[in-house]
Amino acid sequence: MSNLELEVLDQDEAAACCSPMVREPLGEEAAVDLAKMFKALGDPVRLRLLSLIASYDGGEACVCDLTGPFDVSQPTISHHLKVLREAGLVASERRGTWVYYWVLPTALAKLSALLQAPAATGGAR
């Protein structure tokens, strides 16, 4: 990974960045940003790629390790990785011949905070 440190948001910071939809409506800018993430995750190959990257030891995976589990070509995998990167879900770094990818914790925290269910009350359905 690069020398940059990624800040991991705790639950309070994640909630401040994106209040759950059940508490207040999304603003236009937040909706556009989050829609890019959800659109990127709407493809089964991209969803599996994100899961695969996140599951690697150390939290990062070489692109050379990401092509085997899929029945698509290497250029297609590269395209899907580009979509995930442009959506802000993963970051990457070139190291010699290979590119390494890792999931951005802040992106997952935003999605998680947005979809957080309200605490159950007596009138829950």
Side-chain angles (χ1 to χ4, degrees):
M1 214 180 325
S2 69
N3 293 334
L4 298 175
E5 291 186 24
L6 297 175
E7 179 183 348
V8 178
L9 299 177
D10 64 25
Q11 291 296 345
D12 293 334
E13 290 172 324
C17 111
C18 303
S19 295
M21 290 188 295
V22 297
R23 283 199 211 129
E24 61 185 58
L26 283 174
E28 185 176 345
E29 186 177 331
V32 168
D33 290 340
L34 289 163
K36 288 178 189 175
M37 289 183 191
F38 283 114
K39 185 174 181 180
L41 293 174
D43 182 279
V45 172
R46 288 193 288 267
L47 189 57
R48 287 182 60 210
L49 275 170
L50 187 76
S51 175
L52 184 61
I53 293 167
S55 70
Y56 264 80
D57 284 339
E60 65 180 39
C62 175
V63 71
C64 60
D65 296 323
L66 299 175
T67 56
F70 300 96
D71 289 331
V72 296
S73 67
Q74 185 278 326
T76 301
I77 293 293
S78 293
H79 166 74
H80 286 305
L81 290 167
K82 177 183 174 189
V83 171
L84 290 171
R85 197 175 63 249
E86 289 176 347
L89 293 164
V90 299
S92 63
E93 177 182 69
R94 179 171 292 282
R95 297 183 198 152
T97 305
W98 301 110
V99 177
Y100 287 78
Y101 290 86
W102 58 92
V103 175
L104 294 172
T106 54
L108 297 183
K110 283 181 184 180
L111 294 171
S112 176
L114 177 72
L115 297 174
Q116 183 180 356
T121 61
R125 294 178 203 173

